[in-house]
Amino acid sequence: MKKIWMISAITATLIYAQEMSLEEELASQKTAPASTQDDYMPNISLILDASYINESLDIDTEHVEIPSFVEGGSDDEHAHTPLVGNDGFNFNYAELVMSASVDNYFDLMGVFHMTEDDIEIEEGYVVTTSLPYHLRAKIGKFRSDFGYLSNKHEHAYSFQKLPLIYNALLGDHAINEEGVQLQYVFPTNIYTMAGVELLRGENEQSFGVEGFTTPDLTEVEDVSQPSLVVGYLKTSFDLGGSTILGGVSIAKGDSRMNHLGDVHADHEEEEEGAHAFSGDTTIYGADLVYKNYFSATRSITWQSEYLYREMDGTKYSEVEEGVWGSSALNKKQAGFYTQLVYQHDRNIKTGVRYSGITQNDITANASPVPVTDDIYIVSAMAEYNFSEFSRIRVQYNHDASLYTEEDLKNNKDEFIVQFTYAIGAHGAHPF
């Protein structure tokens, strides 16, 4: 009888303890937060890029340009894309990347681009993670998803720089603006995404928002912002052992371009060739990427893009010494690049690329302006990846895009050895 009583007492105690433990667990679930701060600690990475360059053109070469696209030489303050670089060893940039989940609704990304002379916020944005109906929004400063290459960072390129047509129409960083983005992924078996972006419109190669005053006191006002609208439709699907990605894009906005130079207060001296432009610009793009996998570490990738730009507006320039005037200006310009990259194994890649201008039609007051379209660059590269965090790349460029003020072609042969290193946690690059 005593044993039965003891067993009953112990059983009751265990049941009571189990019930209390369950009640405490339920109570803790009600009062404890869904996650702790440790769950939102940022991923941090640092990327370093340096190079050794040997060019056939000296940095003191005077005023070479890509005709009707990129003006000025290496020391021209209006040349967004340097056309002649420094021979020898160069520290190109360091990139500090920080990213984390803010909470259950937003992710935050910050990319800081650092050179010897400058630090800039290359990207800083939040992106939603829980919008309904397959929607995603981005707010802040970011690389646009226009085309295929615009949203990628330099260390993710297959070659050292963007192709010629990108540099000519959009500059070194393509479309990188403050604004908002909204994307919708269609609920289909094949990946299909549509997106729209409203951006400030400060790309100095094709757009611009700041007004100007010409030496004859003609005033052009600033543009209301946002002034640049970008839209695109992209799709991707697998075909056997291959992946295909394609898309079409459009970017449309106002253009304010000020190349008036240093004008004195008395308006008696201007920089030679000074001018300004006010109008609007539309750029169309089509891209296609085909990647075939031979094995987990061996593949071949064919990648191509075509860009077409139309600019329409008014050009302000000096028609004769001391006399300024305006003319109706229209530009229809286009070009493409195509490249083939073969990944031999986990470490070695080789590739070739052709980038050229196919159309360079300009009219002023409805009269054709003679300008060349014999503009292209041919590149070849080989790289060795010691790991996913360190890479050395050797590249050769034959640059037939540069002309002097006398319209004489000034070809440049360029040999580059590029060193890229990364530390820390870094998110995967987009396909």
Side-chain angles (χ1 to χ4, degrees):
M1 193 70 181
K2 184 176 182 180
K3 289 182 178 180
I4 294 175
W5 179 86
M6 290 180 63
I7 292 173
S8 300
I10 293 172
T11 302
T13 303
L14 290 173
I15 292 173
Y16 176 80
Q18 187 175 18
E19 290 175 345
M20 289 298 296
S21 176
L22 181 59
E23 290 178 0
E24 290 173 358
E25 183 179 349
L26 291 173
S28 66
Q29 289 178 357
K30 292 179 181 179
T31 58
S35 57
T36 65
Q37 189 62 37
D38 290 341
D39 296 325
Y40 301 108
M41 289 299 291
N43 295 321
I44 301 176
S45 66
L46 179 67
I47 298 162
L48 178 69
D49 190 271
S51 62
Y52 173 84
I53 299 178
N54 184 274
E55 295 184 351
S56 59
L57 292 184
D58 188 84
I59 193 170
D60 295 327
T61 301
E62 294 185 2
H63 203 85
V64 290
E65 62 183 17
I66 303 176
S68 75
F69 287 98
V70 181
E71 303 186 9
S74 59
D75 58 350
D76 191 314
E77 63 178 288
H78 300 300
H80 186 60
T81 302
L83 301 180
V84 182
N86 281 314
D87 279 353
F89 289 100
N90 294 273
F91 171 74
N92 298 325
Y93 66 87
E95 186 177 280
L96 180 64
V97 182
M98 303 177 68
S99 62
S101 294
V102 177
D103 48 34
N104 294 330
Y105 307 100
F106 299 99
D107 289 342
L108 176 65
M109 167 73 80
V111 181
F112 305 89
H113 191 86
M114 298 170 283
T115 66
E116 290 183 291
D117 303 316
D118 192 23
I119 299 177
E120 66 172 325
I121 302 175
E122 184 169 341
E123 291 192 277
Y125 61 83
V126 293
V127 58
T128 60
T129 59
S130 58
L131 286 183
Y133 307 115
H134 310 280
L135 292 169
R136 190 183 79 154
K138 185 183 290 187
I139 306 169
K141 182 182 180 184
F142 52 87
R143 288 176 173 264
S144 170
D145 275 353
F146 175 93
Y148 179 72
L149 282 175
S150 186
N151 66 355
K152 294 174 175 55
H153 291 262
E154 292 179 61
H155 59 272
Y157 299 160
S158 296
F159 294 79
Q160 190 207 25
K161 294 291 185 182
L162 285 170
L164 170 65
I165 187 61
Y166 261 88
N167 281 328
L169 298 187
L170 297 172
D172 276 346
H173 301 294
I175 301 178
N176 185 11
E177 300 262 351
E178 296 98 333
V180 296
Q181 175 193 86
L182 184 65
Q183 294 180 343
Y184 173 73
V185 177
F186 291 83
T188 58
N189 294 330
I190 296 176
Y191 172 78
T192 305
M193 183 269 286
V196 62
E197 299 167 358
L198 297 178
L199 307 172
R200 286 177 63 90
E202 293 182 322
N203 180 278
E204 58 188 79
Q205 283 299 109
S206 287
F207 303 101
V209 297
E210 293 186 3
F212 52 83
T213 301
T214 64
D216 66 346
L217 301 182
T218 299
E219 186 173 351
V220 176
E221 296 183 350
D222 294 348
V223 172
S224 299
Q225 301 173 40
S227 67
L228 177 59
V229 180
V230 177
Y232 39 82
L233 180 67
K234 301 174 185 287
T235 185
S236 178
F237 56 90
D238 293 333
L239 187 65
S242 305
T243 298
I244 297 175
L245 173 67
V248 291
S249 305
I250 183 173
K252 184 176 180 61
D254 295 294
S255 295
R256 296 289 187 271
M257 298 183 179
N258 183 356
H259 297 283
L260 296 173
D262 297 326
V263 182
H264 292 269
D266 56 9
H267 308 295
E268 293 179 355
E269 296 184 29
E270 302 87 22
E271 181 181 297
E272 184 179 359
H275 63 276
F277 175 80
S278 171
D280 56 76
T281 298
T282 304
I283 302 178
Y284 302 92
D287 57 90
L288 180 65
V289 180
Y290 170 82
K291 187 168 186 176
N292 184 67
Y293 302 89
F294 303 107
S295 68
T297 59
R298 191 164 63 95
S299 64
I300 190 167
T301 304
W302 174 59
Q303 174 183 323
S304 297
E305 286 191 74
Y306 175 83
L307 301 182
Y308 171 85
R309 176 176 75 175
E310 181 167 4
M311 304 181 72
D312 193 63
T314 303
K315 179 180 179 180
Y316 303 87
S317 60
E318 190 178 36
V319 295
E320 59 182 75
E321 186 174 356
V323 179
W324 280 72
S326 61
S327 59
L329 184 70
N330 179 270
K331 291 184 177 183
K332 295 179 180 179
Q333 301 165 308
F336 76 101
Y337 76 89
T338 185
Q339 67 184 50
L340 197 65
V341 175
Y342 178 60
Q343 182 169 340
H344 298 258
D345 53 33
R346 192 181 302 274
N347 305 106
I348 300 174
K349 289 183 181 180
T350 57
V352 292
R353 181 174 75 185
Y354 176 87
S355 182
I357 303 299
T358 58
Q359 183 178 0
N360 196 9
D361 299 333
I362 301 175
T363 59
N365 291 330
S367 298
V369 176
V371 62
T372 184
D373 59 3
D374 182 20
I375 303 171
Y376 66 91
I377 299 176
V378 179
S379 303
M381 73 84 182
E383 67 179 40
Y384 186 84
N385 294 268
F386 298 92
S387 69
E388 59 180 306
F389 304 105
S390 61
R391 176 183 68 204
I392 181 171
R393 174 187 289 150
V394 179
Q395 182 171 324
Y396 166 76
N397 300 322
H398 177 68
D399 188 341
S401 68
L402 305 180
Y403 286 74
T404 66
E405 287 182 305
E406 293 75 28
D407 293 327
L408 298 175
K409 181 175 283 192
N410 205 341
N411 290 345
K412 179 176 70 171
D413 292 300
E414 188 176 35
F415 176 77
I416 303 169
V417 183
Q418 182 184 8
F419 309 89
T420 307
Y421 306 97
I423 57 174
H426 189 64
H429 296 132
F431 175 79

